[in-house]
């Protein structure tokens, strides 16, 4: 490295033969480190490194190496080793992707400076069965990730702050930051916790103030509306109050009328009651003459009752006697039946004896015939024939078993072949099912897009033209290895885009899916009647190693291809080869190609872009590694499908041959079965013959036993007849005794019937006497009929008056609504005095009040209650308004204090940054300034840091933004801002990855000089600058280290290096360069 100075140390990181190595030529002293600075780092099986250890300088560390050698791996190691998230790096989502290929464990060890003894953080990343886990150690003690985050935070390290840690993939994010975001990140990097809290409080205050003022305004408007509505309702309320008053008077007058009517009805009831009692007394006087008749009438009734009781008792006794006679009659019938049964049983016994004798004679005949047949069978022996037949059957069964085993073997072989055919058919289906696999991948990655595809397939008839499904589903790569080129070239959003050929369909589809189904999808309209051709034929580019354009690597529908040509120029983007990679510098300079790809081979593929500066005309080359393909690498493999189909055909032919064998085995099996049936029939005949003799012997034994039993069962009929005669004589005596009892009971019944007749005659005589007395009483009632009718009418009048007065009392009580009656309620009694006591006059008063009520007109029954509720709400709203206004005044007083406490030190910090920033720009011959800016001083959430720069003398200071300055100018401004902020923060280190990309050599040299000078300041923090290249002739300071990374299969092991010889040869080359 040539230059005006010499760096304090140099570190070389190498990778040889796929194995990473590290050489530390000189370790810097520990002086100058800030607490939390990185002293040392070791990576094991991490990304490109198998084993790497490096020591860092306390000030400036420049890490240089070609693209793809592992510079960013060092950045990833620092970030992940200190607990940073993978999102900070924007490289991979899963921590397991940082493990070296082919390994299942990666380790990062970082040593942080501590005056009391350095701290060591170790992270072990394990991959087991597609599951990734992390284990943390702090000073060899296992801890949790939360403990690591808290420990790193205590060292003032914030890896998510772009002002402290700017990874390569996030350089563009820093350049895109607006003023507000820049202020936020600057505060995180250099401001105290109190200032951060004050800024957050002020931002929240402004939002709360706006919200509170909005509430006050809304509440005040609501208050005014309530007041106006009550003012409009006052006349209605007055009419309602007057109407309510009249209604109350009507209610009181109606109650007075009801109580007056009740009092009159009560008076009428008392009069009717007195008249009724007077008539009853007259009736009592008249009934004195009929008293002896009533006494005699009562006596006859009592005598009649006694006679009737005697008749009842006699009838009950007669009923019992009749029941007893019936029981005796049934018993006599039972005795007769028993006598008949005895003689019937004897007759049956006589018949059975005759049958027994006949049965004995038949058994003797049968036994004689069986004995004769048994004697004939004694001379034949069938056992030898049975043994011979059994032997033949066993031999035949063995042959059948052999045939079955052979057939089963063929069947199993056939099943195995059928399973193999199904496996091959399944593999063919899998190879053909590319679209299904892509659709499943889409479902996992973009569920809304998947739902839209399913909906489109079901509703294609709604549209006039064709709507193509998302691009990733309709593209078919001619070769799967080229899928990575297209996936890296087409934006992720457009990979999931639907392509419409008709503009009306485009609008209809968007309305149906986005607005109605609320699915977040991308829809594009294909260009119409457009043809796209490359600027140059591919033959003109073959000298540079280009083989084809992107469009030639895949097939797609015409509309989709037209969209990709228009949007992504796939017809004009060449694809290179290994030749292109070897001469990539010449290609970028001379081929006049601004964008091209080199596919992956043994190493990852690359994307190269060439931009030319509008000012200097120099080319800016950017390259990036290609992401592996995820979707489009599913290609139909025709060759493998043919192989599977041929294999399936061969297997089917094998099945046909096996089926022929199985048929032969089945025929042999059928023949053997027929032979087996013949032999078994023969054996069965032999067994039947042998069994017949055994059966005859058994049957003879059973019949002989039966014959002996029948002989023993002989009956003596004479003895049985004598027994029957004795039993029937006993039954005849019992029958005679019961007949006597029956005659006696029948006589008693006749006697009771005669006594009952006598009592009935007595009842008839008393009844005649009673009827004569009833005639005399009826004659008396006829003579006094007018008096009795008067009594009935007086009783009816009294009851009607009582019922009417009771009803009026209930109505009068209900009219009081639960109040005490007037005689117990002085207030009600006084209210009743205002009205007359005469019913017609009260009715007239009620009619007058009802007429006044009608004159008041119709009113809203809810108006009064709403008026009262609004009145209460007005008081509540008024109190709330006072409280809110008081709270707003208090908040404004607090805001002034906090604002002064925040804005004064913030302006001082920005002023210091501006001083350094302006100084660095002035040293480069340019101008720049930094200030705290806000369009409205009261909108604290809109405060931001404004950077204004001027790179040419004839121009004015202009605000830095992505549209006004070039990429190189923005990179210079960003780098100088970070350096200007360096001395004002307490963070232990800063890291910037490839910030010099896009700078022209002049600016890059000046920025590097500023970095070197700033790193030599005593208060400077540790600094990491990652770059793929350095200009020649740069000035290097003493407070820095340059770490160079070498990579390649042919790179020798560092242990074989001869450093002195290498430096000597480098000096020789320098002399040649100078000549």
């Amino acid at each position: 490295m040539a230059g005006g100075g010499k760096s304090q140390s140099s570190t070389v990181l190498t990778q040889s033969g796929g194995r990473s190595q590290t050489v530390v030529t000189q370790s810097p002293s520990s002086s100058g480190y800030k607490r939390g600075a990185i002293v040392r780092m070791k990576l094991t099986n991490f990304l490109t490194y198998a084993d790497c250890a490096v020591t860092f300088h306390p000030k400036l560390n420049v890490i240089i190496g070609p693209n793809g050698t592992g510079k960013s791996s060092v950045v990833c190691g620092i970030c992940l080793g200190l607990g940073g998230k993978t999102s900070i790096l924007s490289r991979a989502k899963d921590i397991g992707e940082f493990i070296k290929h082919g390994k299942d464990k990666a380790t990062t060890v970082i040593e942080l400076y501590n005056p009391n003894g350095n701290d060591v953080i170790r992270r072990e990343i394990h991959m087991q069965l597609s599951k990734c886990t992390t284990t943390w150690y702090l000073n060899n003690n296992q801890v949790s990730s939360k403990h690591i985050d808290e420990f790193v935070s205590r060292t003032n390290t914030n890896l998510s702050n772009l002002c402290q840690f700017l990874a390569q993939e996030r350089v563009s994010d820093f350049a895109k930051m607006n003023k507000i975001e820049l202020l936020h990140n600057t505060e995180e990097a250099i401001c105290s916790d109190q200032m951060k809290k004050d800024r957050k409080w002020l931002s929240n205050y402004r939002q709360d103030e706006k919200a509170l003022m909005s509430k006050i305004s809304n509440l005040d408007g609501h208050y005014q509306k309530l007041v106006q509505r009550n003012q409009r309702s006052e006349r209605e309320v007055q009419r309602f109050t007057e109407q309510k008053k009249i209604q109350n008077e009507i209610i009181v007058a109606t109650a007075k009328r009801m109580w007056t009517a009740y009092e009159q009805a009560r008076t009428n009831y008392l009069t009717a009651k007195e008249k009724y009692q007077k008539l009853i007394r007259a009736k009592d006087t008249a009934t004195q003459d009929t008293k002896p008749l009533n006494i005699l009438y009562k006596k006859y009734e009592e005598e009649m009752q006694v006679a009737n009781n005697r008749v009842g008792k006699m009838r009950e006794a007669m009923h019992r006697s009749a029941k007893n006679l019936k029981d005796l009659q049934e018993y006599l019938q039972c005795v007769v039946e028993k006598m008949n049964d005895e003689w019937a049983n004897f007759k049956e016994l006589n018949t059975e004896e005759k049958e027994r004798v006949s049965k004995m004679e038949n058994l003797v005949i049968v036994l004689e015939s069986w004995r004769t047949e048994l004697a004939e069978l004694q001379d034949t022996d069938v056992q030898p024939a049975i043994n011979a037949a059994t032997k033949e059957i066993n031999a035949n069964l063995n042959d059948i078993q052999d045939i079955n085993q052979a057939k089963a073997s063929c069947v199993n072989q056939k099943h195995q072949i059928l399973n193999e055919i199904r496996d091959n058919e399944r593999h063919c289906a899998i190879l053909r099912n590319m679209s299904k696999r892509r659709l499943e991948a889409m479902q996992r990655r973009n569920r809304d897009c998947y739902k839209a595809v399913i909906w489109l397939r079901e509703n294609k008839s709604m549209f006039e033209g064709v709507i193509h499904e998302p691009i990733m589903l309709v593209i078919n790569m001619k070769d799967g290895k080229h899928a990575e080129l297209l996936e890296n070239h087409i934006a992720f959003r457009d990979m999931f885009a639907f392509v419409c050929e008709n503009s009306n369909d485009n609008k209809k589809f968007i309305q149906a899916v986005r607005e109605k189904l609320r699915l977040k999808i991308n829809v594009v309209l294909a260009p119409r009647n457009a043809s796209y051709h490359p600027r140059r034929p591919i033959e003109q580019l073959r000298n540079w190693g280009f083989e084809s354009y992107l469009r030639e690597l895949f097939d797609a529908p015409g509309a989709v291809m037209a969209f990709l040509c228009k949007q992504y120029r796939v017809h004009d983007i060449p694809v290179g080869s290994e030749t292109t990679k070897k001469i990539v510098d010449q290609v970028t300079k001379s081929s006049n190609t601004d964008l091209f790809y080199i596919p992956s081979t043994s190493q990852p593929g690359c994307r190269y872009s060439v931009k030319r500066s509008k000012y200097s005309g120099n080319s800016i080359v950017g390259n990036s590694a290609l992401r592996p393909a995820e979707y489009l690498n599913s290609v139909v493999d025709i060759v493998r499908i043919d192989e599977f189909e041929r294999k399936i055909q061969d297997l089917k032919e094998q099945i046909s041959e096996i089926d022929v064998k199985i048929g032969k085995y089945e025929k042999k099996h059928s023949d053997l079965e027929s032979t087996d049936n013949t032999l078994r029939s023969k054996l069965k005949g032999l067994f039947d013959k042998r069994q017949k003799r055994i059966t005859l012997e058994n049957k003879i034994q059973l019949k002989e036993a039966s014959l002996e039993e029948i002989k023993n069962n002989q009956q003596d009929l004479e003895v049985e007849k004598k027994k029957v005669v004795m039993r029937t004589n006993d039954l005849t005596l019992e029958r005679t005794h019961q007949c006597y009892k029956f005659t006696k009971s029948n006589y008693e019944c006749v006697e009771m019937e005669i006594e009952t007749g006598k009592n009935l005659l007595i009842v008839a005589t008393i009844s005649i006497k009673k009827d004569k007395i009833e005639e005399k009483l009826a004659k008396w009632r006829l003579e006094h009929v007018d008096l009795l009718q008067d009594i009935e009418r007086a009783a009816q009048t009294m009851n009607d008056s009582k019922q009417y007065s009771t009803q009026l009392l209930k109505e009068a009580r209900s009219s009081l609504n639960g109040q005490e009656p007037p005689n117990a309620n002085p207030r009600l009694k006084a209210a009743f005095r205002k009205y007359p006591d005469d019913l017609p006059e009260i009715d007239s008063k009620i009619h007058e009040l009802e007429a006044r009520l009608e004159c008041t007109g119709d009113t809203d029954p809810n108006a009064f209650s709403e008026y009262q509720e609004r009145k209460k709400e007005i008081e509540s709203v008024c109190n709330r308004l006072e409280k809110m206004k008081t709270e707003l005044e208090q908040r404004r007083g607090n805001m002034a204090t906090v604002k002064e406490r925040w804005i004064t030190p913030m302006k001082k910090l920005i002023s210091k940054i501006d001083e350094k920033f302006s100084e660095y720009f002035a040293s480069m011959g340019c101008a720049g300034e930094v200030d705290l800016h806000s369009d409205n001083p009261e909108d604290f959430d809109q405060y931001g840091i404004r950077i204004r720069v001027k790179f040419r003398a004839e121009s004015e200071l202009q605000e830095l933004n992505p549209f006004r300055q070039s990429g190189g100018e923005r990179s210079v401004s960003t780098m100088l801002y970070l350096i200007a902020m360096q001395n004002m923060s307490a963070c232990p280190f800063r890291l910037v990855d490839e910030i010099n990309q896009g700078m022209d050599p002049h600016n890059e040299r000046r920025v590097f000089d500023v970095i070197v000078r700033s790193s030599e300041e005593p208060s400077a923090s540790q600094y990491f600058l990652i770059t793929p290249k350095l200009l020649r002739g740069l000035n290097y300071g003493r407070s820095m280290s340059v770490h160079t990374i070498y990579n390649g299969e042919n790179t020798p092991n560092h242990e074989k290096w001869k450093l002195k010889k290498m430096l000597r040869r480098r000096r020789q080359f320098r002399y040649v360069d100078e000549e």
Side-chain angles (χ1 to χ4, degrees):
M1 291 175 285
K6 183 180 180 182
S7 63
Q8 182 179 2
S9 66
S10 176
T11 305
V12 181
L13 285 72
T14 71
Q15 293 177 323
S16 177
R19 184 170 55 88
S20 303
Q21 307 163 10
T22 301
V23 178
V24 181
T25 59
Q26 182 181 353
S27 298
S29 64
S30 61
S31 62
Y33 285 103
K34 286 189 175 183
R35 179 182 175 85
I38 302 175
V39 178
R40 231 179 310 273
M41 182 176 71
K42 182 178 181 181
L43 304 175
T44 305
N45 296 329
F46 187 85
L47 288 176
T48 59
Y49 294 109
D51 190 8
C52 167
V54 58
T55 302
F56 295 115
H57 196 279
K59 296 298 183 181
L60 178 60
N61 294 272
V62 180
I63 301 176
I64 183 172
N67 288 326
T69 56
K71 302 185 303 300
S72 295
S73 298
V74 175
V75 178
C76 295
I78 293 174
C79 177
L80 299 180
L82 293 177
K85 308 300 181 185
T86 56
S87 58
I88 297 174
L89 302 170
S90 301
R91 288 173 65 95
K93 293 183 178 180
D94 188 5
I95 189 69
E97 297 182 33
F98 291 89
I99 300 176
K100 185 176 176 64
H101 182 69
K103 304 294 181 181
D104 57 5
K105 176 184 176 182
T107 305
T108 65
V109 180
I110 297 179
E111 181 181 348
L112 301 180
Y113 178 73
N114 189 340
N116 300 322
N118 291 353
D119 299 303
V120 178
I121 299 175
R122 184 168 90 251
R123 181 176 192 173
E124 295 180 356
I125 306 170
H126 303 269
M127 178 65 73
Q128 294 179 347
L129 300 176
S130 301
K131 185 178 180 181
C132 188
T133 59
T134 293
T135 306
W136 289 96
Y137 296 89
L138 178 60
N139 297 327
N140 291 326
N141 296 319
Q142 186 172 346
V143 295
S144 64
S145 60
K146 183 179 180 181
H147 187 88
I148 293 294
D149 293 340
E150 293 173 352
F151 175 79
V152 173
S153 178
R154 287 197 296 270
T155 64
N156 293 325
T157 300
N158 184 359
L159 298 174
S160 61
N161 190 328
L162 298 180
C163 292
Q164 180 178 353
F165 192 90
L166 190 59
Q168 176 183 353
E169 289 77 7
R170 302 192 69 194
V171 170
S172 59
D173 294 342
F174 190 94
K176 294 177 183 177
M177 282 196 301
N178 57 31
K179 295 180 289 186
I180 299 171
E181 294 170 340
L182 183 59
L183 175 60
H184 174 72
N185 281 279
T186 303
E187 281 184 320
E188 291 294 326
I190 66 174
C191 291
S192 63
D193 292 340
Q194 184 60 45
M195 290 182 66
K196 296 175 190 176
K197 291 179 181 177
D198 289 344
R199 168 73 189 288
K200 185 176 181 180
W201 188 91
L202 289 171
S203 298
N204 294 335
Y205 158 76
R206 185 56 178 161
Q207 296 173 2
D208 295 344
E209 182 189 34
K210 290 179 180 178
L212 188 58
M213 291 177 66
S214 175
K215 287 182 180 178
I216 291 174
S217 176
N218 293 337
L219 197 59
D220 186 60
H222 181 57
Y223 172 78
Q224 297 298 333
K225 289 179 181 178
L226 290 173
V227 172
Q228 292 173 3
R229 290 179 65 185
N230 262 17
Q231 289 175 351
R232 289 195 297 269
S233 303
E234 282 182 353
R235 290 193 61 187
E236 182 74 13
V237 170
Q238 290 175 358
R239 288 173 57 238
F240 177 81
T241 304
E242 179 65 22
Q243 192 180 67
K244 197 70 176 176
K245 181 180 177 182
I246 295 173
Q247 288 174 349
N248 290 334
E249 290 182 2
I250 291 173
I251 291 171
V252 174
T254 303
K256 172 66 180 289
R257 185 189 184 286
M258 290 182 177
W259 277 102
T260 303
Y262 162 69
E263 292 294 341
Q264 291 181 0
R266 183 171 176 274
T267 302
N268 293 336
Y269 162 70
L270 294 175
T271 303
K273 182 178 179 183
E274 184 179 355
K275 181 179 178 181
Y276 171 76
Q277 290 174 349
K278 184 177 179 180
L279 290 171
I280 289 297
R281 287 194 295 272
K283 177 186 173 185
D284 292 340
T285 302
T287 55
Q288 291 295 326
D289 298 336
T290 62
K291 192 172 183 180
L293 292 174
N294 287 330
I295 293 171
L296 187 59
Y297 182 83
K298 186 174 181 181
K299 176 183 176 183
Y300 288 152
E301 277 187 341
E302 291 174 353
E303 291 177 352
M304 180 181 259
Q305 182 66 32
V306 171
N308 284 329
N309 290 338
R310 283 199 299 270
V311 170
K313 290 179 181 179
M314 293 303 294
R315 285 178 175 174
E316 289 178 1
M318 289 171 64
H319 178 72
R320 288 194 297 271
S321 295
K323 185 176 181 302
N324 190 25
L325 286 171
K326 184 178 179 182
D327 293 340
L328 288 171
Q329 188 177 7
E330 290 175 356
Y331 182 75
L332 287 172
Q333 184 67 29
C334 183
V335 170
V336 173
E337 289 176 356
K338 285 181 180 181
M339 292 172 66
N340 293 333
D341 289 341
E342 287 292 335
W343 287 111
N345 291 337
F346 177 75
K347 188 176 181 180
E348 289 177 2
L349 189 63
N350 191 17
T351 304
E352 288 176 358
E353 180 63 21
K354 290 178 181 180
E355 291 176 354
R356 185 185 66 80
V357 174
S358 176
K359 192 173 182 181
M360 285 175 59
E361 293 173 353
N362 292 333
L363 282 175
V364 171
I365 295 170
V366 171
L367 281 171
E368 289 300 326
S369 66
W370 284 355
R371 290 189 183 108
T372 303
E373 187 178 358
L374 180 61
E376 293 174 356
L377 293 173
Q378 291 293 337
D379 299 334
T380 58
D381 186 7
V382 296
Q383 189 59 42
I386 290 174
N387 293 338
T390 303
K391 186 175 181 180
E392 290 180 16
I393 289 173
N394 291 334
N396 196 57
L397 286 175
N398 290 334
D399 293 340
I400 291 175
Q401 187 175 2
D402 294 339
I403 292 296
N404 287 338
Q405 289 177 353
K407 179 183 174 183
S409 176
C410 290
V411 171
N412 290 335
Q413 187 178 358
K414 180 180 178 180
H415 287 166
Q416 291 175 359
I417 294 173
L418 287 173
N419 290 334
E420 193 172 350
I421 288 174
R422 283 192 289 269
D423 291 340
N424 284 281
E425 289 175 344
R426 186 172 64 255
H427 288 312
C428 283
I430 290 173
L431 289 173
R432 290 192 180 99
N433 204 7
M434 174 190 67
S435 177
K436 184 178 179 181
R437 292 201 302 275
R438 290 186 184 177
L439 189 62
E440 290 173 351
M442 173 185 289
Q443 184 180 10
R444 293 191 300 270
R445 196 67 181 266
N446 191 332
R447 186 169 291 275
D448 283 1
C449 190
Y450 170 78
K451 292 179 180 178
V453 170
I454 301 302
W455 182 89
L456 177 62
R457 291 179 179 178
E458 296 174 352
N459 299 274
K460 285 186 177 180
S461 59
M462 291 175 53
F463 305 101
E464 301 173 7
V466 178
I467 298 180
H468 297 279
E469 294 181 358
I471 293 174
M472 67 168 287
L473 297 181
V474 298
I475 285 179
N476 185 35
M477 301 302 302
K478 296 179 180 179
D479 190 341
K481 69 180 182 181
H482 293 141
E484 62 177 1
L485 303 178
L486 212 58
E487 288 195 23
N488 280 272
H489 186 64
I490 301 174
F492 178 81
R493 172 181 172 82
D494 286 340
M495 288 292 288
F496 293 89
F498 292 80
V499 181
C500 299
E501 296 184 1
N502 185 297
S503 59
N504 293 330
D505 288 345
N506 186 46
K507 296 177 182 177
K508 189 185 294 184
F509 183 64
I510 290 174
Q511 184 179 10
V513 178
R514 285 187 185 169
E515 298 178 6
K516 294 183 179 179
L517 299 180
R518 297 187 178 278
L519 299 178
K520 298 178 181 178
I521 61 167
N522 187 18
V523 184
V524 299
L525 182 64
R528 302 183 65 181
N529 303 324
S531 60
Y532 298 92
H533 304 284
R535 293 177 300 168
R536 292 173 290 177
I538 193 64
E539 288 76 13
Q540 296 182 11
L541 300 177
R542 294 198 188 278
N543 293 334
W544 307 107
F546 293 111
E547 298 174 347
S548 65
Y549 289 106
L550 276 178
R551 183 173 65 179
E552 299 166 6
L553 302 180
F554 66 96
D555 295 323
V560 176
M561 185 66 80
F563 169 74
L564 295 177
C565 289
K566 179 182 178 182
Q567 188 71 20
Y568 292 100
R569 300 192 299 124
V570 296
H571 64 289
D572 203 32
I573 305 298
V575 179
S577 61
E578 285 294 323
T579 304
T580 311
K581 190 171 184 180
K582 292 177 182 178
I583 59 172
V584 69
D585 291 337
Q586 299 178 28
V587 173
T588 55
K589 292 179 182 178
S590 308
S591 67
N592 196 26
T593 301
D594 58 353
L595 178 63
F596 60 90
Y597 289 90
I598 298 177
S600 299
T601 52
S602 58
Q603 295 184 355
C606 291
R607 175 185 186 273
Y608 288 88
S609 60
V610 182
K611 296 182 181 179
R612 288 169 176 80
S613 175
K614 297 179 181 179
Y615 307 104
S616 63
N618 293 332
S619 296
I620 302 171
V621 180
N623 70 326
S624 58
L626 299 182
R627 301 187 312 275
E630 295 184 40
Y631 312 109
L632 303 181
N633 51 359
S634 301
V635 181
V636 178
D637 193 340
I638 303 300
V639 176
R640 291 195 66 194
I641 291 175
D642 291 340
E643 290 177 358
F644 282 124
E645 289 179 347
R646 285 197 300 273
K647 192 172 181 180
I648 291 169
Q649 186 62 34
D650 294 340
L651 292 171
K652 288 182 178 179
E653 292 175 359
Q654 293 179 26
I655 287 177
S656 299
E657 295 175 359
I658 291 172
D659 287 338
V660 172
K661 289 183 180 180
I662 291 173
K664 292 178 180 179
Y665 287 136
E666 288 177 347
K667 186 176 183 306
K668 289 182 181 180
H669 186 274
S670 177
D671 295 340
L672 291 172
E673 285 286 345
S674 177
T675 303
D676 184 71
N677 291 334
T678 302
L679 291 172
R680 289 184 183 277
S681 298
K682 180 181 177 181
L683 183 63
K684 184 177 183 299
L686 294 171
F687 275 118
D688 290 344
K689 191 172 183 180
R690 187 180 68 178
Q691 188 65 30
K692 185 175 181 181
R693 187 178 66 188
I694 297 171
T695 303
L696 279 173
E697 292 174 350
N698 293 333
K699 288 168 70 176
I700 289 169
Q701 290 177 0
L702 292 173
K703 290 297 181 182
E704 288 177 347
S706 178
L707 180 60
E708 187 65 26
E709 184 180 357
I710 292 172
K711 287 180 180 179
N712 296 330
N713 290 335
Q714 183 178 358
Q715 298 287 341
D716 190 348
L717 294 178
E718 292 298 327
V719 174
E720 291 298 327
K721 184 177 180 181
K722 291 179 180 180
K723 292 179 180 180
V724 169
V725 171
M726 290 176 64
R727 286 195 292 271
T728 54
N729 291 336
D730 294 338
L731 290 172
T732 301
L733 291 174
E734 179 66 22
R735 177 185 177 191
T736 303
H737 177 68
Q738 294 299 328
C739 285
Y740 172 75
K741 290 173 66 176
F742 178 82
T743 304
K744 184 179 180 181
S745 296
N746 196 16
Y747 176 76
E748 292 175 354
C749 285
V750 171
E751 291 292 330
M752 285 187 285
E753 185 70 28
I754 294 171
E755 185 66 24
T756 301
K758 293 179 179 180
N759 286 310
L760 287 174
L761 182 62
I762 294 171
V763 169
T765 303
I766 296 172
S767 179
I768 293 170
K769 294 178 180 179
K770 183 181 174 184
D771 291 340
K772 290 180 179 180
I773 294 174
E774 283 182 351
E775 289 176 0
K776 293 179 180 180
L777 291 173
K779 184 179 179 181
W780 180 87
R781 282 195 292 271
L782 185 62
E783 293 173 353
H784 298 82
V785 66
D786 294 336
L787 176 62
L788 295 175
Q789 289 178 355
D790 291 341
I791 291 173
E792 288 181 2
R793 285 194 292 271
Q796 183 65 35
T797 302
M798 181 185 68
N799 291 333
D800 291 344
S801 299
K802 182 179 180 181
Q803 186 177 2
Y804 179 63
S805 62
T806 303
Q807 179 66 28
L808 290 177
L809 178 61
K810 291 180 180 179
E811 293 176 358
R813 289 184 181 276
S814 65
S815 68
L816 299 179
N817 294 325
Q819 298 184 62
E820 294 290 332
N823 54 2
N825 190 342
R827 185 180 63 83
L828 184 62
K829 192 173 183 180
F832 278 2
R833 291 197 194 100
K834 298 179 182 178
Y835 302 95
D837 295 329
D838 186 51
L839 286 178
E841 294 180 1
I842 294 174
D843 290 338
S844 176
K845 183 66 175 178
I846 291 173
H847 290 320
E848 178 186 347
L849 292 172
E850 288 176 347
R852 287 175 56 195
L853 181 62
E854 289 180 1
C855 292
T856 59
D858 295 332
T859 58
D860 185 2
N862 298 322
F864 182 76
S865 60
E866 291 175 357
Y867 177 85
Q868 295 296 331
E869 289 175 1
R870 279 197 298 270
K871 191 173 181 181
K872 293 178 182 178
E873 189 176 359
I874 288 170
E875 296 177 0
S876 175
V877 169
C878 186
N879 294 333
R880 287 168 59 193
L881 275 173
E882 292 298 326
K883 290 181 180 178
M884 286 184 178
K885 290 177 180 179
T886 304
E887 182 182 356
L888 182 61
E889 292 301 322
Q890 292 175 350
R891 283 175 172 269
R892 285 176 174 170
N894 296 335
M895 181 274 296
T897 303
V898 177
K899 177 182 178 182
E900 183 64 25
R901 190 171 65 210
W902 173 76
I903 202 167
T904 301
M906 177 55 70
K907 286 182 176 179
K908 290 181 181 179
L909 288 173
I910 299 300
S911 176
K912 291 179 181 179
I913 295 174
D914 175 58
E915 182 181 348
K916 286 287 185 181
F917 188 76
S918 301
E919 177 185 341
Y920 294 150
F921 258 84
S923 67
M924 296 171 54
C926 304
E929 66 178 26
V930 178
D931 63 352
L932 185 65
H933 179 265
S934 177
D935 295 331
N936 183 358
E938 299 302 323
D939 286 337
F940 299 102
D941 54 350
Q942 297 300 316
Y943 270 83
I945 292 179
R946 181 174 60 180
I947 299 177
R948 297 194 296 166
V949 295
K950 180 177 73 172
F951 286 91
R952 284 163 290 280
E954 64 275 9
S955 64
E956 298 293 332
L957 283 171
Q958 294 180 333
E959 187 173 345
L960 184 69
N961 61 52
F963 310 104
R964 186 173 290 120
Q965 288 81 17
S966 65
E969 291 172 345
R970 293 199 303 274
S971 297
V972 170
S973 304
T974 299
M975 196 67 196
L976 293 181
Y977 181 81
L978 293 175
I979 298 169
M981 191 176 59
Q982 177 172 279
N983 295 332
M984 280 170 283
S985 68
C987 63
F989 69 88
R990 281 189 174 81
L991 184 145
V992 178
D993 190 1
E994 296 194 16
I995 192 67
N996 58 338
Q997 293 301 300
M999 294 185 189
D1000 58 71
H1002 180 66
N1003 284 334
E1004 184 176 351
R1005 185 179 301 278
R1006 290 190 293 182
V1007 168
F1008 189 81
D1009 289 342
V1010 172
I1011 293 173
V1012 173
R1013 288 200 307 272
S1014 65
S1015 66
E1016 293 178 345
E1017 297 178 4
S1019 59
S1021 301
Q1022 189 179 36
Y1023 211 97
F1024 294 91
L1025 179 63
I1026 317 298
T1027 178
K1029 62 182 179 61
L1030 288 175
L1031 299 174
R1032 294 189 177 195
L1034 293 175
N1035 295 317
Y1036 298 95
R1038 303 293 299 179
S1039 298
M1040 64 180 292
S1041 289
V1042 177
H1043 308 268
T1044 306
I1045 301 177
Y1046 290 99
N1047 181 315
E1049 296 180 358
N1050 300 320
T1051 303
N1053 192 293
H1054 67 278
E1055 296 177 352
K1056 299 179 181 180
W1057 287 10
K1058 296 179 181 179
L1059 192 58
K1060 293 182 179 180
K1061 184 177 179 181
M1062 293 173 65
L1063 293 174
R1064 184 168 63 252
R1065 293 195 63 187
R1066 182 65 190 91
R1067 294 191 190 99
Q1068 293 175 0
F1069 291 147
R1070 185 181 64 185
Y1071 299 147
V1072 173
D1073 293 341
E1074 290 175 354
E1075 292 175 359

